[in-house]
Amino acid sequence: MTDALFLTSDDVAGLATPHEHVEAVRKGYRQRGAGAPAKPRTTLPNGEPAGMLTSYSAILPETGAMGGYMYSAGFGAGDAWFMTPLFDADSGEPLALIDGASMNPFKTGAVGAVGVDALAREDATKLAIIGSGAQARGQLKAVTTVRDIETVSVYSPTKESRESFAGEMNEALDASVAAVASSAAAVEDAEIVITATTASEPVFDGDLLEDGAHVTAMGQYHPKKRELDATTIERATYVPDLRKRATQDAGSFLAALESGAVTEDHIHAELGEVVAGEVVGRESENEITLFDSGGTGIETVASAYMLYEKALDEGLGSTISLSPASEALTGE
């Protein structure tokens, strides 16, 4: 039998700062750039009851951990559950099982911030965010750890939601956060644009992007969903989290391919290649850059292992025991 740590969402909620998540995820993508294995998500849809079962994984040798997410969404309960198994990358033994719901906006926000740090202009201070939910909250908190953001314009379709978000973030951050009445107003003059929505159609006009702007899009991980229009894809230096994901479920990129606006050669590099210094990201001040973040096991394993280590230090969680196949796989 081997002991592993079980951590609830309450155990890991608030256990690490946004900065700590960003640093862990940056290290994870640097390993990916050096060849660490990672695969795009696999999603199994179900018709009745409507739902999906999704999984993805990665091995981070330098971190010393491997694992990923498996989660269900929809079905009869109409909810979602996130489970994160974590294994030792040297021995293969289980380290932890984490209820991954509360860490999700933080690890997702962290990879968005790593993308901003790798691709946005260093002097960028004006940010637009489209979306006002948990993921938008995670993105905004993380990005302020890598850039000195002074002003934030937030838009989402529901007036009460965007105003509530702006009020909350004004209290939490040093930046001045204001709700605006349209996505066009948000994007105007923005040096960084973040989309954190579940939209099926583009949420802003790519012609409105300022020269030199950076876009992080994190809500487009379905072939039929496209937060960004073909103009945005065409104008930008396009960097996905994983190259294979761009042609599998990156809806905005797939739509731009189908329209003929771009070809597969438009994929500039994976984020890990830029972080590891294998490929140059931004090459000019006037260049528009785009990070397409659909979710991978890289940020999941990186954040989960960081939380696991902090939980051990603080004596959090409970112990579960698992039997190795050499003992239990007997057929008796």
Side-chain angles (χ1 to χ4, degrees), residues 119-120 212-216 236-238 281-283 287-291:
L119 295 168
H214 168 75
V215 179
T216 286
T237 298
Y238 179 79
R282 171 178 293 274
E283 295 183 331
E287 181 180 2
I288 293 174
T289 55
L290 166 58
F291 172 47

Side-chain angles (χ1 to χ4, degrees), residues 19 22-23 26 30 110-122 142-143 145-148 192 214 216 271 274-275 281-282 289 291:
H19 174 75
V22 170
E23 290 307 305
R26 191 197 313 277
R30 189 176 295 118
V111 68
V114 171
V116 167
D117 202 29
L119 295 168
R121 287 166 44 183
E122 292 187 5
V143 78
T145 72
V146 299
R147 289 295 183 273
D148 293 324
I192 298 171
H214 168 75
T216 286
L271 177 62
V274 178
V275 173
R282 171 178 293 274
T289 55
F291 172 47

Side-chain angles (χ1 to χ4, degrees), residues 36-323:
K39 293 289 186 182
R41 74 181 66 220
T42 297
T43 298
L44 302 178
N46 194 62
E48 185 60 41
M52 63 180 185
L53 181 66
T54 298
S55 63
Y56 46 71
S57 57
I59 302 173
L60 301 181
E62 183 183 338
T63 300
M66 57 188 178
Y69 252 170
M70 176 170 277
Y71 63 91
S72 67
F75 296 94
D79 214 320
W81 284 264
F82 295 81
M83 299 179 69
T84 303
L86 199 63
F87 300 85
D88 187 290
D90 292 319
S91 69
E93 294 179 343
L95 296 174
L97 178 62
I98 303 173
D99 179 348
S102 66
M103 83 170 191
N104 187 287
F106 294 95
K107 63 97 177 176
T108 306
V111 68
V114 171
V116 167
D117 202 29
L119 295 168
R121 287 166 44 183
E122 292 187 5
D123 61 353
T125 61
K126 295 183 285 188
L127 184 144
I129 189 159
I130 301 174
S132 59
Q135 296 293 356
R137 190 176 291 111
Q139 292 289 327
L140 184 51
K141 288 180 178 179
V143 78
T144 59
T145 72
V146 299
R147 289 295 183 273
D148 293 324
I149 302 300
E150 295 177 358
T151 62
V152 179
S153 297
V154 57
Y155 172 74
S156 65
T158 305
K159 184 172 185 288
E160 293 77 8
S161 297
R162 63 183 183 250
E163 289 182 348
S164 175
F165 180 91
E168 176 191 344
M169 292 295 102
N170 254 322
E171 293 291 326
L173 305 174
D174 292 334
S176 174
V177 185
V180 295
S182 67
S183 63
V187 171
E188 183 180 5
D189 295 328
E191 294 159 324
I192 298 171
V193 178
I194 297 172
T195 59
T197 77
T198 58
S200 296
E201 296 298 326
V203 295
F204 68 85
D205 182 347
D207 282 325
L208 299 177
L209 286 171
E210 295 287 333
D211 288 344
H214 168 75
V215 179
T216 286
M218 55 76 52
Q220 49 176 343
Y221 47 87
H222 188 284
K224 300 301 181 184
K225 288 189 175 184
R226 47 188 301 245
E227 288 183 310
L228 307 179
D229 60 13
T231 300
T232 299
I233 303 293
E234 185 178 13
R235 292 184 68 191
T237 298
Y238 179 79
V239 177
D241 41 21
L242 292 175
R243 188 179 294 270
K244 287 185 178 179
R245 196 191 66 77
T247 54
Q248 174 179 299
D249 63 11
S252 297
F253 186 77
L254 289 170
L257 275 179
E258 186 176 346
S259 72
V262 299
T263 67
E264 289 189 29
D265 290 340
H266 193 65
I267 302 173
H268 177 69
E270 287 189 4
L271 177 62
E273 294 172 316
V274 178
V275 173
E278 298 295 322
V279 179
V280 175
R282 171 178 293 274
E283 295 183 331
S284 73
E285 291 294 299
N286 291 329
E287 181 180 2
I288 293 174
T289 55
L290 166 58
F291 172 47
D292 185 338
S293 174
T296 77
I298 303 165
E299 59 264 28
T300 306
V301 173
S303 279
Y305 187 74
M306 180 267 295
L307 292 170
Y308 163 74
E309 287 194 308
K310 291 179 73 70
L312 286 179
D313 289 342
E314 298 192 19
L316 298 174
S318 56
T319 300
I320 56 175
S321 297
L322 296 99
S323 297

